DNA sequence: TCACTTTGTTAATGAGCGTTAACGCATTTC
DNA sequence: GAAATGCGTTAACGCTCATTAACAAAGTGA
């Protein structure tokens, strides 16, 4: 895995801060001046890097959905031959990593989707749908008793469980990152197992 | 149980429609004219019933948190003597009923909290905290191996799971309300059980 | 019947905010 | 070294939108 050591570009700085602010106070709750201030420039300066406030949100949401889907496809391919169980564990692990490392993005992901232009929103929804369907396939391979609608509901519910990380106290009240990840992983598997009945 | 047959008061109509609109497009995404139109009057007419837009949101959020806590306390008292298992099942059932019947409110509940005045926000947070702690107590009675921080994380995560109902396809793709409720219930129990390890 | 409250209406106000205009200054490029 | 380009700045514009003002009409009660 190639870890990048070069400094983040200005666009990336802006996106990161915008994500944090949008997650904290909502898309309409944040002004461009505020986003600018967060990266050390002033409001209108942002327009050298983005067409507008909407464009920032769009790039964030499309990026998130794309990353999730790409990662999931990669894990599916990598673990090929390792059995469905291993793939599911890998999917869960990947989603947890994302939920723990990019809390603001997780928050945005299902909160500000309606603010997008139609074309962007369709794109995001399609990526999300593919991601869900990929999970549904793997889950049904592991838990063979599950019908498709039930499996889909179960997947959405487990996403809700995994995406709860923003609500887990921000401070050091957590049992540590590793322990939290393990706990979430166990609970996800337990939830799926209980779905089968 | 006394079911009310009298017509809803204007205040209630407004709150209901405001909740729906806020959930759909976010607090800042909805104008007072729109809320007014939803109940057949025009924007400024709302000010005969509420001090302002903020006041509507505040009343909604405080109301939600209060109802949840009150209901939980009632269930705890009613099932007294029935054992911790029965209480936990009752809590889960109550939360699911709420999540299924009042989806807009569930959405608002953790989405627009920051828009409140300090005093209101503190109030809501305190109600939420009491609700969580009540659950934590019951969960630790049922699953005796759970430490307090782990139990609290588990409770938050299960809330995430149960509150995922808005993401389950709005149309008839669900397996029906009863089946969905049962599925969520089983998954919640499974998640808690898996948390213990 | 007459005052008063309740519940609306439309018009005006004023603030906030996204966006654009106009300009400045390094840094690169030929 | 001159021109172009990248990346900022501040000032101004224009629109949206919550809120208030001013007014109207329907009940209500003495």
């Amino acid at each position: 895995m190639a870890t990048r050591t070069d400094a983040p570009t200005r666009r990336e700085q802006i996106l990161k801060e915008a994500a944090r602010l949008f997650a904290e106070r909502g898309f309409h709750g944040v002004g461009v001046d505020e986003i600018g201030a967060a990266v050390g420039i002033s409001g209108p300066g942002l327009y050298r890097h983005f067409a507008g406030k909407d464009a920032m949100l769009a790039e964030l949401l499309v990026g998130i959905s794309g990353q999730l889907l790409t990662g999931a496809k990669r894990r599916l391919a990598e673990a090929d031959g390792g059995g469905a169980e291993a793939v599911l564990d890998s999917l869960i692990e990947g989603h947890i990593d994302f939920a723990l490392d990019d809390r603001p993005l997780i928050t945005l992901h299902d909160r500000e989707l309606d603010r997008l232009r139609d074309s962007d929103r369709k794109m995001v929804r399609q990526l999300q749908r593919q991601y869900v369907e990929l999970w549904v396939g793997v889950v049904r391979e592991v838990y063979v008793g599950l019908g498709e609608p039930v499996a889909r509901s179960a997947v959405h519910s487990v996403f809700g469980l995994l995406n709860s990380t923003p609500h887990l106290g921000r401070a050091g009240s957590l049992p540590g990152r590793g322990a939290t990840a393990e706990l979430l992983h166990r609970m996800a598997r337990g939830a799926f197992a209980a779905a089968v009945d």
Side-chain angles (χ1 to χ4, degrees), chain A:
Chain A
M1 179 194 325
T3 26
R4 44 175 305 178
T5 62
D6 44 334
T9 171
R10 176 90 334 154
R11 274 182 69 88
E12 291 170 334
Q13 290 180 43
I14 294 171
L15 282 177
K16 183 179 170 186
E17 294 303 314
R20 184 179 54 81
L21 290 169
F22 288 161
E24 278 175 9
R25 294 205 282 291
F27 180 68
H28 286 105
V30 178
V32 288
D33 290 349
E34 232 169 333
I35 302 174
V39 298
I41 70 180
S42 229
L46 296 172
Y47 287 74
R48 298 292 171 194
H49 305 274
F50 293 92
K53 203 179 151 193
D54 301 338
M56 299 179 209
L57 182 64
E59 187 157 332
L60 279 172
L61 292 186
V62 174
I64 301 163
S65 313
Q67 274 180 243
L68 275 177
L69 179 58
T70 303
K73 280 181 175 170
R74 181 172 46 73
R75 287 167 186 274
L76 186 64
E78 279 175 359
D80 200 50
E85 295 261 351
V87 178
L88 180 55
D89 281 325
S90 179
L91 286 180
I92 294 173
E93 186 187 322
H95 197 104
I96 289 175
D97 282 347
F98 179 63
L100 287 176
D101 296 338
D102 297 291
R103 292 189 186 190
L105 294 185
I106 277 289
T107 302
L108 282 187
H109 191 249
D110 63 10
R111 189 173 289 197
E112 309 281 2
L113 187 55
D114 326 312
R115 275 64 162 178
L116 261 52
R117 287 175 22 229
D118 273 17
S119 64
D120 290 323
R121 188 170 53 248
K122 270 180 190 160
M123 164 73 77
V124 172
R125 278 208 214 276
Q126 184 178 331
L127 292 168
Q128 286 182 345
R129 189 163 33 239
Q130 289 183 61
Y131 184 66
V132 170
E133 293 311 315
L134 192 151
W135 273 69
V136 168
V138 176
V139 166
R140 292 191 67 197
E141 239 179 304
V142 175
Y143 301 97
V144 281
L146 282 184
E148 186 175 313
V150 175
R152 191 172 294 109
S153 291
V155 166
H156 279 291
S157 299
V158 167
F159 286 170
L161 188 154
L162 298 180
N163 292 349
S164 68
T165 51
H167 304 295
L168 307 180
R170 316 247 167 192
S173 77
L174 307 195
R177 195 212 132 106
T180 301
E182 281 177 28
L183 174 63
L184 289 172
H185 198 130
R186 286 202 311 274
M187 292 181 75
R189 288 300 297 253
F192 278 133
V196 61
D197 181 323

